Amino acid sequence: MSLKGYEASYYAASANAKQDYPELQGEISTDICVIGAGYTGLSAALHLAEKGYSVSLLEAEKVGWGASGRNGGQVCQGHNMDHADMVRKVGKQNADALWQMSLESVDLVKDLIAKHQIQCDLKQGVLHVAAKTKHNDEFKESVEYKHKVLDYQDIQYVEPSEVADMLGTDRYSAGEYWTRGAHLHPLNYALGLAAAAEKAGVAIYEDTRVQSYQTGQNAHVITESGRVNTKYILLACNGYLGKLEPRVAGKIMPINNFILATEPLSEEMCRRINRDDVAVADSRFVINYFKLSGDNRLLWGGGENYTSSFPKDIPNFVRKYMLEFYPELKDLRIDYGWGGTLAITMNRMPFFDRIEDNLFVAQGYSGHGVALATLGGKLMAEALSGSAERFDTFARMPTPTFPGGTLLRWPGLVTGMLYYSMRDRFF
Ligand SMILES: Cc1cc2nc3c(=O)[nH]c(=O)nc-3n(C[C@H](O)[C@H](O)[C@H](O)COP(=O)(O)OP(=O)(O)OC[C@H]3O[C@@H](n4cnc5c(N)ncnc54)[C@H](O)[C@@H]3O)c2cc1C
């Protein structure tokens, strides 16, 4: 049975038992009010409560209802920006710190899962593969750079013949294998974080949409039926921010991405198309990514749109991407298809900021948020409790505003995105 109040998806249908959290009614007071209960907000709330603060966490829908409960579940080290580019932008010291924190973010996810005994099908291994042979050299150079410049050895270049063996297709070429990368059931991870946060003392409210807030001395947050008096406000709404905070809305662009889940595959089929049961992502601009679920379904992510609505027939919208690489799967039944909204930034690095003395934001993980949003929440908690250095290292990365700001960013983005996705197909 599908979890009530969530987008219909394989994840909602296979979710662990969930506690319901009340709607906020009336007035409360807490040290910190966190808005949005995805990984960012859940992690911030959990880490703050563990430090002894009183924390309220307000979620417009249900915990993990947003991207955190709908994503591909890939947990990988690194950033969307190369280390060498980061060095050019923010200097070597900051770039090194950002790289180290990306490693830490994956360990953090694993540690939280272990510490709070979250049942979320956690498995090891992420394989990035070249969708075109001309990407092979880039993979080789990228792995060499990590070995030599970053002294990071938990990544291997994979020859095309080995990729073919691992994935049962020669449509992909070379690969890079992140041996300490991981994959998981994203909604169950979010539900587990929520349970841990509540246990640590966080007051969680669902069906509680924040309508407005006031910062400064008498800071407070207003919802339809309630009010939170607070010292600090943390914004963790990511792709679902809407018009709540226009000062940071133009730093991100919400985009929709889609996933399907097939019927369960036979053991033999699983081993053929994913020999080592890893998470896979390819090098296309509009990425294809896939993995096996805990019950051996193929979860395939592919296709995006940039409008306010999802395609009517998501299974068929995504299926064509899957069949491009695995035409032999054409007879598989598709049991689920769903979409979610994530936020990207212009430079594809997360955007962290202290907008005012008592107003923080972390958003825009650009498809890398399972690990980085979990870390983002922890860094907000650190910053608020007096150690802002690591939060500031992210905040120092200059994040351009989308041309056209909040109102006119769409036409430019759509043209750009369509151009790159066409380039994927034809060049
Ligand atoms: C289809 C898809 C596949 C993806 N695959 C991957 C992947 O494989 N690996 C990876 O690392 N990342 C992936 N991502 C990205 C990742 O899911 C996100 O970066 C991450 O979940 C962001 O977490 P968050 O907490 O910042 O935002 P969200 O999880 O989106 O949470 C924001 C929350 O804020 C709430 N909210 C908004 N406005 C208000 C308000 N006014 N009042 C109260 N609450 C409000 C929303 O209801 C929502 O629950 C994917 C995303 C999608 C959509």
Side-chain angles (χ1 to χ4, degrees):
M1 222 183 58
S2 200
L3 207 56
K4 245 176 76 195
Y6 288 79
E7 166 92 351
S9 71
Y10 163 72
Y11 299 136
S14 54
N16 296 333
K18 171 188 175 282
Q19 179 176 338
D20 283 330
Y21 302 99
E23 182 188 349
L24 176 65
Q25 305 273 358
E27 189 167 335
I28 60 166
S29 298
T30 53
D31 294 334
I32 295 143
C33 179
V34 183
I35 307 175
Y39 303 138
T40 306
L42 289 164
S43 168
L46 171 63
H47 286 99
L48 284 162
E50 283 176 345
K51 287 174 189 289
Y53 293 96
S54 69
V55 186
S56 52
L57 174 56
L58 311 185
E59 166 55 49
E61 306 282 343
K62 303 286 176 194
V63 295
W65 173 90
S68 299
R70 310 178 188 209
N71 63 68
Q74 307 214 358
V75 194
C76 199
Q77 294 83 357
H79 293 282
N80 285 327
M81 186 186 283
D82 286 342
H83 179 265
D85 288 337
M86 290 199 285
V87 172
R88 279 188 284 277
K89 289 233 176 327
V90 291
K92 184 166 179 327
Q93 199 180 341
N94 281 305
D96 286 352
L98 288 167
W99 164 255
Q100 284 304 330
M101 284 194 276
S102 86
L103 304 185
E104 178 190 328
S105 68
V106 174
D107 291 339
L108 175 65
V109 170
K110 293 179 186 171
D111 290 349
L112 287 168
I113 290 169
K115 179 173 174 190
H116 301 292
Q117 297 179 13
I118 302 174
Q119 303 302 318
C120 59
D121 302 332
L122 179 68
K123 291 177 190 163
Q124 283 287 105
V126 174
L127 177 69
H128 290 164
V129 285
K132 293 174 185 171
T133 44
K134 70 175 186 188
H135 297 158
N136 288 4
D137 287 346
E138 291 166 31
F139 274 78
K140 201 175 244 168
E141 285 161 20
S142 152
V143 170
E144 276 172 14
Y145 186 94
K146 289 179 181 81
H147 286 175
K148 291 191 181 138
V149 179
L150 300 174
D151 192 22
Y152 184 69
Q153 309 304 326
D154 293 324
I155 185 168
Q156 294 156 12
Y157 176 73
V158 189
E159 295 289 349
S161 58
E162 176 68 359
V163 169
D165 206 45
M166 288 174 85
L167 300 184
T169 174
D170 53 14
R171 288 181 173 80
Y172 283 123
S173 197
E176 59 178 18
Y177 182 34
W178 297 78
T179 54
R180 290 178 57 80
H183 56 105
L184 47 69
H185 185 304
L187 178 56
N188 281 338
Y189 172 52
L191 297 180
L193 288 180
E198 203 209 22
K199 206 164 156 205
V202 177
I204 302 178
Y205 297 95
E206 295 184 319
D207 305 309
T208 300
R209 181 172 296 279
V210 171
Q211 295 175 328
S212 62
Y213 48 77
Q214 185 181 305
T215 52
Q217 279 233 313
N218 298 311
H220 60 264
V221 173
I222 301 291
T223 70
E224 198 185 28
S225 315
R227 171 186 169 118
V228 182
N229 301 312
T230 188
K231 297 186 187 113
Y232 292 94
I233 300 170
L234 306 188
L235 280 176
C237 301
N238 204 41
Y240 296 92
L241 177 70
K243 294 183 176 149
L244 189 61
E245 182 44 87
R247 286 173 290 180
V248 296
K251 296 288 182 186
I252 50 169
M253 173 68 62
I255 62 175
N256 304 321
N257 192 273
F258 304 98
I259 304 183
L260 64 73
T262 67
E263 63 184 301
L265 309 183
S266 66
E267 228 11 89
E268 185 271 326
M269 176 77 95
C270 289
R271 297 292 77 84
R272 185 147 59 83
I273 64 173
N274 194 342
R275 190 190 70 194
D276 300 334
D277 203 0
V278 295
V280 184
D282 75 17
S283 59
R284 286 214 166 158
F285 178 74
V286 177
I287 291 175
N288 288 291
Y289 52 95
F290 59 97
K291 68 187 233 59
L292 295 166
S293 66
D295 60 353
N296 284 348
R297 296 166 190 274
L298 181 61
L299 305 185
W300 187 284
E304 288 178 347
N305 77 10
Y306 316 110
T307 63
S308 55
S309 56
F310 291 172
K312 278 204 180 70
D313 182 355
I314 296 177
N316 269 317
F317 178 79
V318 182
R319 188 170 170 267
K320 60 181 182 286
Y321 296 96
M322 178 179 82
L323 295 187
E324 220 180 296
F325 291 91
Y326 290 100
E328 66 271 30
L329 301 183
K330 66 179 186 340
D331 294 328
L332 273 185
R333 202 180 64 230
I334 310 295
D335 285 344
Y336 304 92
W338 67 95
T341 304
L342 61 145
I344 59 167
T345 59
M346 285 277 283
N347 61 16
R348 303 296 188 269
M349 288 295 286
F351 173 74
F352 291 6
D353 196 19
R354 186 173 195 148
I355 310 166
E356 291 182 36
D357 282 350
N358 58 353
L359 178 63
F360 291 72
V361 63
Q363 61 179 11
Y365 307 97
S366 307
H368 220 110
V370 180
L372 289 179
T374 308
L375 181 75
K378 183 179 179 199
L379 296 188
M380 283 209 271
E382 282 179 15
L384 227 139
S385 56
S387 322
E389 179 50 32
R390 283 149 45 91
F391 182 87
D392 288 345
T393 303
F394 272 95
R396 268 194 284 276
M397 173 64 72
T399 305
T401 302
F402 275 92
T406 43
L407 288 177
L408 296 171
R409 55 195 161 150
W410 292 105
L413 175 97
V414 171
T415 314
M417 293 299 209
L418 291 178
Y419 165 74
Y420 282 112
S421 59
M422 297 274 281
R423 215 175 61 159
D424 266 350
R425 280 167 193 280
F426 299 119
F427 300 104

